[in-house]
Amino acid sequence: DIVMTQSPLSLPVTPGEPASISCRSSQSLLRSNGYNYLDWYLQKPGQSPQVLIFLGSNRASGVPDRFSGSGSGSDFTLKISRVEAEDVGIYFCMQVQQAPRTFGQGTKVEIK
Amino acid sequence: QVQLQESGPGLVKPSETLSLTCTVSGGSISGDYWTWVRQPPGMGLEWIAYINYNGDTNYNPSIKSRGTISVDTSNNQFSLRLTSVTAADTATYYCARLLEWRLPRGGHYHYMDVWGRGTTVTVSS
C-alpha cells in the first residue's frame, strides 16, 4: 500500500494568517497523463469529511478560493491563504494512484 | 441535491455479520460510483470498498475478503456486508458518492464529493 505521511500533525493557527500542511507519499502519485492522483479532505468537528481539492490542485465545487493545493510526484501542500475560524478541523490527504486508496494520518488545525 | 444516509445495527457481537445500508436521495444511484469509508474512534480514515454502475467492485485487502458491497437500484440503496467482525471493526462507517470527473485528455477520475453523516458500529459481546 502507498503510505501517506502528513506534517505537522497539529497546527495552531491565527485567524487571518496563512497556514500550510504537507503531505508526502511513499510512491509517486503522478501519472503519465500529467495528473497527480491526490485529494484533500476536511473533517470539521462532529461532521463527516468534505472534499476540498482533487487531482492535487483542483478546488471542488463550493470550496472557498483561500484553499489551494500544489505539488507533484510525492510531495504535496495544502495552503490556506487566510485562516478563518470555520476552517478548524482535521485535514486529510488521500492518494488515488493505486488501490487501495490510503489516507494520511490527519492534521488537526486549531485556533490559537 | 444528492444526500446519503447510512443505517446500521449500532452493536454487533464478535464473529457475527455487520450489514450497513446507504440510502441515496435527491438523485439516482444508477450511473455513479459508490463507496464506504470507516473511522475507528479517535483515529484516521480507512477506505473499505467501492462499486460502480456496472457492478464492478474493489475492496481494501485489509478486510481480507470479509466484505461484500452491493447496489439495490430498485430502492436506490447500496450496502456493505462484513462477516466475522472483531473489535477492530468498531468504527464510524461513512458512505459516499464517487463523483466522476472527465479528464481533458481522456479518462476519468473519481473523488468523494457527497458523504453521509456516518453510522457508529460497536463490536462487543
Side-chain angles (χ1 to χ4, degrees), chain B residues 86-102:
Chain B
T86 69
D89 295 309
T90 293
T92 296
Y93 286 75
Y94 297 100
C95 60
R97 181 179 71 173
L98 283 164
L99 183 67
E100 183 170 288
W101 179 264
R102 299 288 175 94

Side-chain angles (χ1 to χ4, degrees), chain A residues 1 33-35 37-39 41 43 47-51 54-55 58 60 92 94 96 99-101 103 105, chain B residues 37 39 43-47 50 58-61 94 98 101 103-105 108-113 115-117:
Chain A
D1 296 2
N33 60 11
Y35 294 100
Y37 278 48
L38 177 100
D39 300 337
Y41 294 88
Q43 186 173 30
Q47 296 185 20
S48 51
Q50 59 188 84
V51 64
F54 65 96
L55 279 169
N58 290 264
F92 295 94
M94 186 192 78
V96 187
R101 299 180 178 219
F103 293 88
Q105 321 96 299
Chain B
V37 173
Q39 185 171 35
M43 297 180 65
L45 300 166
E46 180 184 32
W47 172 79
Y50 79 71
N58 194 287
Y59 298 92
N60 192 326
Y94 297 100
L98 283 164
W101 179 264
L103 300 175
R105 291 187 289 274
H108 48 257
Y109 184 86
H110 294 89
Y111 64 93
M112 293 174 280
D113 74 318
W115 295 63
R117 297 171 67 96

